[in-house]
């Protein structure tokens, strides 16, 4: 039998993230119950549901903030339960947050530069002596940071404190910083929150661009159905921590359970 990390005969993409029978309880409260989620390589998947459905809890499980009470989580075929968030980030999972978590007083450049520390090769001694290897690596990182800022139209804000950016650009910067960790999977937690209609359209274009340029998978939690239905190829629906539906936007939109629990008539 082929490995779950290989593309199967039906053309389904290789499995990148796999949650099997994941349950998490906080005291007597079951926040997520017996959840099975599979994200393939280069997939753009939406995770939706009412407030309190357990969406952000799923993100916290995947990124190591919480450990499941039951079940297992695999990334690229390896178990990651019990690993620290920074270890999971090094494996290739990056996330943004519902409430923007930039370094507000640092410049736009330094916010992105900080993310590159995850992969630097030189140590403290090399940094102190500023040898040739250190200088070359630092110059390479500077070039990569500026390339990313220019790609995402933030280069002109290089020296501007992050807190001074317009809201939509702060969201964009947070996504760029996440991408600087070189992820295979990007988790976006309500990126359209607080955006106006024009900014939401720009966000949809940005997410599509990221998926296509960087060839990564994206798991998107979002309440704005125009955004979710407009860009996601597959949608998973939670209600009170239980998965109630999964399918294409058209299938989810027509599902009676989803209509009753979340979308309405």
């Amino acid at each position: 039998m082929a490995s779950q990390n290989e593309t199967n005969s039906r053309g389904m993409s290789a499995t990148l993230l796999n949650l099997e029978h994941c349950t998490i309880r906080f005291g007597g409260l079951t926040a997520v119950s017996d959840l099975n989620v599979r994200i393939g390589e280069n997939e753009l998947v939406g995770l939706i549901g009412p407030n309190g459905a357990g969406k952000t809890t799923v993100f916290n499980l995947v990124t190591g903030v919480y450990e499941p009470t039951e079940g297992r989580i695999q990334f690229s075929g390896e178990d990651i339960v019990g690993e620290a968030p920074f270890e999971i980030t090094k494996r290739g999972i990056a996330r943004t947050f519902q409430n923007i978590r930039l370094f507000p007083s640092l410049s736009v450049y330094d916010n992105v530069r900080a993310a590159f520390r995850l992969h630097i090769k030189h140590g403290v001694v090399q940094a102190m002596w500023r040898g040739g290897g250190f200088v070359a690596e630092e110059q390479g990182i500077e070039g990569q940071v500026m390339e990313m800022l220019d790609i995402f139209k933030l280069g002109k804000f290089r020296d501007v404190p992050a807190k001074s950016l317009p809201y939509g650009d702060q969201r964009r910067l947070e996504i760029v910083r996440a991408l600087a960790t070189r992820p295979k999977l990007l988790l976006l937690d309500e990126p359209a929150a607080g955006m106006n209609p024009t900014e939401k359209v720009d966000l949809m274009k940005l997410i599509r661009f990221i998926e296509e340029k960087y060839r990564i998978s994206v798991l998107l939690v979002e309440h704005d159905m125009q955004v979710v239905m407009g860009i996601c190829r597959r949608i998973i629906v939670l209600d009170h921590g239980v998965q109630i539906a999964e399918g294409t936007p058209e299938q989810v939109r027509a599902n009676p359970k989803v209509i009753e629990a979340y979308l309405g008539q």
Side-chain angles (χ1 to χ4, degrees):
M1 182 179 292
S3 166
Q4 66 176 2
N5 293 315
E6 298 175 359
T7 303
N8 65 26
S9 59
R10 292 176 295 175
M12 185 177 292
S13 61
T15 298
L16 186 63
L17 176 70
N18 193 33
L19 281 70
E20 291 186 354
H21 304 292
C22 278
T23 295
I24 182 167
R25 302 185 184 91
F26 300 102
L29 172 67
T30 300
V32 174
S33 179
D34 196 31
L35 181 64
N36 294 282
V37 169
R38 174 197 167 282
I39 306 296
E41 293 180 354
N42 198 221
E43 268 203 296
L44 207 171
V45 181
L47 181 64
I48 67 172
N51 287 329
K55 304 181 297 296
T56 297
T57 300
V58 172
F59 273 23
N60 287 334
L61 285 168
V62 172
T63 55
V65 177
Y66 301 147
E67 288 189 26
T69 308
E70 300 170 9
R72 69 174 183 169
I73 303 172
Q74 292 183 311
F75 184 69
S76 294
E78 297 185 2
D79 290 328
I80 60 173
V81 172
E83 294 191 356
F86 80 90
E87 294 173 320
I88 291 174
T89 301
K90 289 188 73 171
R91 282 186 177 273
I93 301 177
R95 73 176 292 183
T96 65
F97 295 85
Q98 182 177 350
N99 300 314
I100 295 174
R101 297 189 186 181
L102 296 170
F103 303 118
S105 297
L106 292 185
S107 68
V108 167
Y109 174 89
D110 285 334
N111 265 272
V112 179
R113 171 66 181 81
F116 276 89
R117 290 194 59 81
L118 192 69
H119 299 289
I120 60 174
K121 297 177 181 178
H122 64 258
V124 176
V125 175
Q126 292 92 332
M128 290 177 61
W129 286 102
R130 303 184 68 82
F134 167 80
V135 172
E137 186 171 25
E138 286 295 310
Q139 290 175 342
I141 290 173
E142 180 177 4
Q144 292 178 67
V145 172
M146 288 310 304
E147 180 182 14
M148 293 188 74
L149 291 180
D150 289 338
I151 287 172
F152 292 96
K153 301 178 181 179
L154 292 170
K156 62 183 177 181
F157 300 120
R158 171 186 170 133
D159 298 318
V160 174
K163 63 184 177 183
S164 299
L165 291 180
Y167 184 83
D169 286 329
Q170 288 190 36
R171 283 285 184 193
R172 185 184 297 264
L173 176 58
E174 188 179 37
I175 293 173
V176 173
R177 187 178 63 178
L179 288 172
T181 66
R182 304 172 190 167
K184 300 174 185 176
L185 173 64
L186 177 63
L187 310 180
L188 300 177
D189 194 352
E190 297 197 31
M195 287 188 172
N196 62 42
T198 300
E199 289 172 332
K200 289 178 182 178
V201 171
D202 290 340
L203 175 68
M204 293 168 68
K205 294 177 181 177
L206 176 64
I207 295 172
R208 289 196 194 98
F209 171 78
I210 288 169
E211 182 205 17
E212 292 171 2
K213 177 175 177 57
Y214 293 97
R215 305 299 296 173
I216 64 175
S217 298
V218 179
L219 180 58
L220 170 71
V221 163
E222 184 53 64
H223 281 292
D224 190 298
M225 288 300 98
Q226 180 181 356
V227 173
V228 175
M229 299 290 182
I231 62 175
C232 294
R233 301 181 185 88
R234 181 163 60 94
I235 298 173
I236 299 164
V237 189
L238 297 183
D239 185 30
H240 294 95
V242 177
Q243 181 176 328
I244 61 171
E246 178 178 353
T248 65
E250 293 75 18
Q251 291 169 333
V252 166
R253 189 183 291 116
N255 188 299
K257 291 183 179 179
V258 179
I259 293 172
E260 179 181 358
Y262 187 48
L263 296 181
Q265 295 297 330

